[in-house]
Amino acid sequence: MDKKANLILLGAPGSGKGTRAVAICKVLGISQVATGDLFRKNLSENTDLGKLAKGYMDRGELVPDDVTAAMVKERLSMPDVRAGFVLDGFPRTVNQAKMLDDILSELGENLASVIYLDVSDDEIVKRLAGRLVCKNCQAPYHTEFTPPKVDGVCDKCGGALLRRDDDNPETIRKRLKVFHESTYPLIEFYEKKGLLVRVKSEISPKGLEADMRDILEKMGLLK
Ligand code: AP5
């Protein structure tokens, strides 16, 4: 690896952030930091943070910036992220991006790149309608595009595959609206900083690891 891979994956709900993050972490040996997964873990453990996040998540709204940034700061302070990280689902507002700048400067870290996954809303609706997620390890599958080897069972850990509560048509519409209003401005924010890399994310999941290797090589993160 040439430079430290501190990356952000930016994209609409269902654009493939989680799927790509898993591929990047496997290729580069770095850690995935997914705010949605962290909230869902808190929810399953019935913590105060989980109880607070649940209402926002069920409505397809964003959890308040200060709560989310505090959780990210705690996670980024853990030793496993020293080798590099992929932020999946954070930041989602310009305010969160500024908070992230402060967190990284306190930790003495810099961002290498921000990868924007560009996918049409029609494709997103198809992806989320067929998504299944492992109850244990959160690995994403799709009933048609990336089915598990055995129906309803995670290939990686043997956990049960479930549909997410927020993958229903009404909440998907709300999440897309929030993306266009609150998160889309981040594209310009990171373009101005010279950090944005646009990736057309409509490639088949089967070719995804090879595609990701190619992108990381061009970014100077993989030899
Ligand atoms: P979160 O869990 O982050 O959800 P999201 O952003 O809506 O993104 P998803 O996890 O739905 O999709 P993804 O882009 O990871 O796609 P995936 O790889 O699974 O957040 C949930 C909620 O938590 C938010 O609504 C909010 O309330 C809260 N939250 C989280 N972060 C927050 C923050 N920073 N601030 C405030 N609140 C926050 O892929 C989707 C499907 O497509 C899968 O089935 C997959 O198998 C399939 N697929 C993937 N790639 C391809 C491909 N190339 N071709 C075909 N199918 C594909």
Side-chain angles (χ1 to χ4, degrees), residues 8-12 15 17 91 114-117 183 186-187 190 196:
I8 292 176
L9 273 174
L10 189 62
S15 56
K17 299 182 295 296
V114 178
I115 302 172
Y116 167 52
L117 302 178
T183 310
L186 283 177
I187 294 165
Y190 285 118
L196 199 84

Side-chain angles (χ1 to χ4, degrees), residues 102-119:
D102 292 343
I103 293 170
L104 293 178
S105 97
E106 271 180 51
L107 295 172
E109 297 283 349
N110 289 306
L111 281 175
S113 280
V114 178
I115 302 172
Y116 167 52
L117 302 178
D118 190 0
V119 186

Side-chain angles (χ1 to χ4, degrees), residues 12-19 35-37 39-40 56-57 60-63 68 88-90 92 96 123 127-128 131-132 140-142 145-146 164 166 175 201 203-205 208:
S15 56
K17 299 182 295 296
T19 307
T35 40
D37 290 352
F39 284 132
R40 279 183 289 277
Y56 294 99
M57 294 172 83
E61 293 169 4
L62 296 180
V63 179
T68 309
D88 159 5
F90 184 90
R92 284 190 203 229
Q96 287 186 7
E123 172 76 12
R127 287 187 189 180
L128 293 183
R131 172 164 59 183
L132 296 169
Y141 295 84
H142 192 279
F145 308 137
T146 50
R164 263 173 47 176
D166 58 352
R175 286 158 64 202
S201 188
I203 181 170
S204 138
L208 208 114

Side-chain angles (χ1 to χ4, degrees), residues 11-143:
S15 56
K17 299 182 295 296
T19 307
R20 293 254 177 189
V22 170
I24 295 173
C25 291
K26 185 174 163 206
V27 168
L28 296 179
I30 57 175
S31 297
Q32 178 183 5
V33 176
T35 40
D37 290 352
L38 291 172
F39 284 132
R40 279 183 289 277
K41 185 168 182 286
N42 274 279
L43 206 64
S44 70
E45 291 168 358
N46 210 20
T47 66
D48 288 346
L49 176 59
K51 285 180 207 155
L52 184 144
K54 184 176 177 359
Y56 294 99
M57 294 172 83
D58 286 349
R59 291 190 298 274
E61 293 169 4
L62 296 180
V63 179
D65 288 348
D66 52 344
V67 175
T68 309
M71 178 178 77
V72 169
K73 184 175 178 186
E74 190 185 336
R75 180 67 187 92
L76 289 181
S77 306
M78 291 180 183
D80 66 292
V81 292
R82 293 283 72 81
F85 55 79
V86 182
L87 275 169
D88 159 5
F90 184 90
R92 284 190 203 229
T93 63
V94 170
N95 188 39
Q96 287 186 7
K98 291 178 180 164
M99 290 167 122
L100 177 64
D101 283 347
D102 292 343
I103 293 170
L104 293 178
S105 97
E106 271 180 51
L107 295 172
E109 297 283 349
N110 289 306
L111 281 175
S113 280
V114 178
I115 302 172
Y116 167 52
L117 302 178
D118 190 0
V119 186
S120 69
D121 285 5
D122 285 349
E123 172 76 12
I124 278 166
V125 172
K126 265 192 256 165
R127 287 187 189 180
L128 293 183
R131 172 164 59 183
L132 296 169
V133 180
C134 175
K135 192 173 179 242
N136 290 344
C137 73
Q138 313 273 340
Y141 295 84
H142 192 279
T143 47

Side-chain angles (χ1 to χ4, degrees), residues 134-135 137-139 141 148-150 152-161:
C134 175
K135 192 173 179 242
C137 73
Q138 313 273 340
Y141 295 84
K149 291 187 185 116
V150 177
V153 180
C154 177
D155 295 350
K156 297 185 177 80
C157 75
L161 300 184

